[in-house]
Amino acid sequence: MPNAKKRDVQVLPIAADTTVLRSRSWTQLRFEIEYALARGTTANSYLIRGDKLALFDPPGETFTDIYLAALHQRFDVELLDYVILGHVNPNRAVTLKALLKVAPQITFVTSNPGAINLRTALPDTELKILVIKGEETLDLGKGHNLQFIPTPNPRYPDELCTYDQQTEILYTDKLFGAHICGDQVFDEGWEIFNEDRRYYYDCLMAPNARQVETGLDKLSSFPVRLYATGHGPLVRYALLELTQAYRTWSQQQNTQAIKVALLYASAYGNTATLASAIARGITKAGVGVESINCEVAEPAEIQAAIEKSAGFIIGSPTLGGHAPTPIQTALGIILSTATNSQLAGVFGSFGWSGEAIDLLEGKLRDAGYRFGFETLRVKFKPTDVTLKLCEEAGTDFAQSLKKAKKVRSPRVPATNVEQAVGHLVGSLCVVTSHQDDVASAMLASWVSQATFNPPGLTVAVAKERAVESLMYPGRNFVINILPEGKHLGLMKHFLKPFTPGEDRFTGIATEKADNGSPVLSDALAYIECSVSNRMEAGDHWIVYAIATSGKLLQSDALTAVHHRKSGSHY
């Protein structure tokens, strides 16, 4: 693998007159939840050379210099006719300005919301913009007749896909991507990308599942050979499987019995990032999210989402000491529509003050709403710690709704099967993990040795567990095995509910393992583990890990075990 700090541009022809330029970074580019696996990313751009020259999605300023150098080396950039933007991100402004200096004749092709964002990103710049309002076409010559398909969602209201009839390539921008960096351009052996693609979907698409389904319906009429994605490997070999997976995942989200309306506006992207982390926590707990960007949503859409939700969460930046107008409008709709039986939540980001957050919280408390978590106030950019806090807050919010709705069936006598399954005995352990500035732990009894060579084990982790997000392939954790007769104190400590962001190890004696995770000083033994892979299994993830190190701390003690009477609950 290239040096971890290295950035480069990988250039490769992928079809007739068509080239991909993959700007690559092997490091996490910024603190956002969709990058949390820290496997780097690629910013994929494409160039079609018909009678006219069209460039898709130039990358952000992180790559501006090396990207332009790669373009100049291979193409006549000064002859560029079109720059097609699947969505307009402000961090692309530097690259777009540099392109305009070389080719001032460029016509930008984008959706109507994209045109608004583009003018905001490039103020005081004379721009030629072809605004796509529907499924319009653009003929580049040599058979490259482009069909544009708007596929907006709350996170990316300007989202635009493009289909080339000549090559049967669908340029999907955010859809079907993954944040992973490597030398592989296409997705041969595509199963190895499943984890990354699912994580990407869960972070970016799940809160917008209704719009994703609508987009899939629009795209289904096109015969496609290749998805030219905005990030990660291009999709050639898993076209059918990934498309069906997106539809299945979206349908699962859209049919959840309990839903949360997540309303927000975001001036600089920070509040949207917090919203993504909260949504991730909610969906982990098996509750649906209807994400609404109040800056582009109609009042009727906001009202409908609130009416069908069991709870609502609203987030806002603070601009000039106030909440932006769309948030004030949304607040008015909430106060006139939501009932006091609906659970509430407030979050937001700010620079020097947080009046908008205080306004939202004060108005909702005065109106008598119950809060599902303590109001989240984040100054400046979120960090890994604050994103983890938001995720845990979302999970707590969802679990509170499930308890209120009594989703779990009342306890009834166990069936024969449940009684039999319940008599599978497991060792009582505490799983601990510490990565960067984030630490977590959970009590576990579904732990089992799985392989001799290499020495490996499996851990079943409920999807809503906070530690779950620290147990992806390549991550490390420790299994702390508890001693019989001395386990009750630790068991009670790690069984208690923790508030979002609360330190799990307060009052617990620990040491640091070689892999950085906490070792409980009172454990019988500990095993240092590295996650090899994991499998989705109903309401749990089955994590397979390799034992890399370990030690017996109490040679005269026996292992504490967990006896159950039913296999329907812990």
Side-chain angles (χ1 to χ4, degrees):
M1 176 181 288
N3 185 286
K5 295 183 179 180
K6 180 181 176 182
R7 292 187 175 93
D8 64 15
V9 180
Q10 185 183 34
V11 183
L12 188 77
I14 58 173
D17 311 313
T18 307
T19 301
V20 63
L21 299 95
R22 303 175 76 231
S23 300
R24 303 187 293 178
S25 172
W26 276 264
T27 59
Q28 182 178 343
L29 295 185
R30 58 187 180 274
F31 289 110
E32 290 193 26
I33 190 168
E34 60 264 31
Y35 293 89
L37 297 187
R39 296 182 186 168
T41 194
T42 68
N44 300 335
S45 178
Y46 304 88
L47 190 139
I48 299 177
R49 302 185 70 174
D51 295 327
K52 294 186 178 296
L53 197 61
L55 183 67
F56 288 77
D57 295 319
E61 60 183 304
T62 303
F63 299 108
T64 298
D65 293 339
I66 58 173
Y67 174 77
L68 292 177
L71 269 179
H72 281 290
Q73 186 177 356
R74 296 168 177 83
F75 306 104
D76 299 325
V77 182
E78 65 276 6
L79 301 179
L80 197 59
D81 296 288
Y82 299 101
V83 171
I84 300 168
L85 299 171
H87 78 283
V88 178
N89 191 318
N91 71 9
R92 288 180 173 173
V94 172
T95 309
L96 299 181
K97 284 181 180 179
L99 286 170
L100 281 170
K101 286 183 179 180
V102 179
Q105 75 281 355
I106 288 173
T107 296
F108 292 99
V109 182
T110 185
S111 63
N112 190 52
I116 296 171
N117 293 340
L118 184 61
R119 292 188 180 99
T120 301
L122 297 174
D124 305 320
T125 304
E126 186 174 344
L127 300 171
K128 299 176 184 177
I129 304 177
L130 174 59
V131 179
I132 304 300
K133 299 179 180 179
E135 296 191 359
E136 302 168 33
T137 61
L138 176 65
D139 191 355
L140 299 180
K142 295 185 179 180
H144 298 285
N145 191 34
L146 304 183
Q147 172 84 56
F148 299 107
I149 313 104
T151 53
N153 64 63
R155 179 73 184 267
Y156 303 105
D158 55 349
E159 179 81 10
L160 183 69
C161 293
T162 305
Y163 178 72
D164 184 354
Q165 297 178 5
Q166 168 77 357
T167 59
E168 296 185 339
I169 293 176
L170 182 65
Y171 297 87
T172 61
D173 191 53
K174 288 294 183 181
L175 289 170
F176 307 116
H179 285 304
I180 184 170
C181 189
D183 294 328
Q184 193 170 330
V185 176
F186 301 103
D187 64 337
E188 57 267 30
W190 53 269
E191 290 91 348
I192 65 174
F193 300 117
N194 283 348
E195 189 78 57
D196 301 279
R197 286 171 168 167
R198 175 61 185 274
Y199 184 82
Y200 179 93
Y201 174 91
D202 286 344
C203 290
L204 288 182
M205 302 299 162
N208 313 305
R210 180 169 57 86
Q211 293 84 359
V212 170
E213 268 203 280
T214 300
L216 293 174
D217 290 340
K218 287 183 179 181
L219 301 176
S220 63
S221 61
F222 296 94
V224 178
R225 292 185 181 182
L226 179 71
Y227 288 154
T229 58
H231 301 286
L234 284 60
V235 183
R236 171 182 286 172
Y237 299 96
L239 273 172
L240 295 178
E241 291 83 359
L242 186 56
T243 304
Q244 183 55 49
Y246 259 59
R247 193 171 288 280
T248 298
W249 298 334
S250 297
Q251 289 171 351
Q252 289 172 347
Q253 288 298 317
N254 291 329
T255 56
Q256 292 287 5
I258 303 175
K259 291 188 181 295
V260 174
L262 178 58
L263 318 175
Y264 68 92
S266 190
Y268 304 106
N270 295 333
T271 309
T273 297
L274 301 178
S276 294
I278 293 170
R280 170 72 173 140
I282 294 171
T283 56
K284 278 179 59 174
V287 170
V289 176
E290 178 76 11
S291 182
I292 296 178
N293 184 341
C294 296
E295 297 171 90
V296 296
E298 295 294 331
E301 181 184 357
I302 297 173
Q303 181 175 344
I306 294 170
E307 288 175 342
K308 65 183 181 183
S309 69
F312 61 86
I313 302 173
I314 183 168
S316 176
T318 296
L319 302 177
H322 302 282
T325 300
I327 288 296
Q328 296 185 39
T329 300
L331 177 61
I333 296 171
I334 288 172
L335 293 173
S336 64
T337 304
T339 67
N340 289 126
S341 64
Q342 289 171 283
L343 202 61
V346 172
F347 69 99
S349 62
F350 59 95
W352 305 107
S353 59
E355 291 91 344
I357 307 168
D358 297 334
L359 167 71
L360 295 175
E361 181 183 18
K363 291 289 186 182
L364 294 177
R365 288 198 185 279
D366 289 346
Y369 291 101
R370 295 178 300 111
F371 280 62
F373 53 77
E374 290 295 322
T375 296
L376 300 170
R377 296 175 170 84
V378 177
K379 191 171 184 179
F380 302 124
K381 279 187 172 294
T383 65
D384 283 341
V385 173
T386 51
L387 291 180
K388 185 63 175 170
L389 170 66
C390 290
E391 181 184 305
E392 292 179 16
T395 297
D396 277 11
F397 192 92
Q399 289 173 334
S400 295
L401 290 177
K402 291 169 72 173
K403 290 178 182 177
K405 291 288 184 178
K406 297 182 180 178
V407 171
R408 294 185 177 181
S409 302
R411 190 67 56 83
V412 296
T415 65
N416 289 336
V417 172
E418 289 170 345
Q419 289 180 21
V421 173
H423 280 74
L424 290 170
V425 176
S427 304
L428 269 175
C429 305
V430 175
V431 177
T432 60
S433 185
H434 189 291
Q435 292 157 34
D436 298 324
D437 296 323
V438 177
S440 193
M442 75 169 190
L443 187 71
S445 60
W446 293 3
V447 179
S448 177
Q449 183 171 352
T451 56
F452 287 125
N453 187 19
L457 52 86
T458 58
V459 186
V461 185
K463 289 182 175 178
E464 70 269 19
R465 295 284 192 177
V467 77
E468 176 272 338
S469 59
L470 303 181
M471 299 180 71
Y472 281 87
R475 302 295 182 88
N476 299 316
F477 65 92
V478 164
I479 296 287
N480 295 271
I481 304 169
L482 302 187
E484 185 182 45
K486 302 178 182 178
H487 64 283
L488 290 180
L490 289 171
M491 181 179 174
K492 290 178 181 178
H493 177 86
F494 288 103
L495 268 178
K496 71 180 183 182
F498 292 94
T499 59
E502 183 179 351
D503 185 354
R504 269 68 171 169
F505 303 100
T506 299
I508 300 297
T510 64
E511 300 175 7
K512 184 183 290 188
D514 290 340
N515 67 15
S517 298
V519 172
L520 305 185
S521 300
D522 292 331
L524 181 154
Y526 70 91
I527 307 169
E528 297 189 40
C529 303
S530 176
V531 179
S532 177
N533 54 60
R534 54 189 240 165
M535 177 182 72
E536 187 174 12
D539 52 8
H540 282 65
W541 289 99
I542 308 301
V543 177
Y544 172 68
I546 305 301
T548 59
S549 183
K551 187 176 181 180
L552 181 64
L553 301 177
Q554 299 183 35
S555 60
D556 57 345
L558 298 176
T559 301
V561 295
H562 185 205
H563 294 279
R564 297 179 298 154
K565 294 182 179 180
S566 172
S568 63
H569 54 85
Y570 291 120

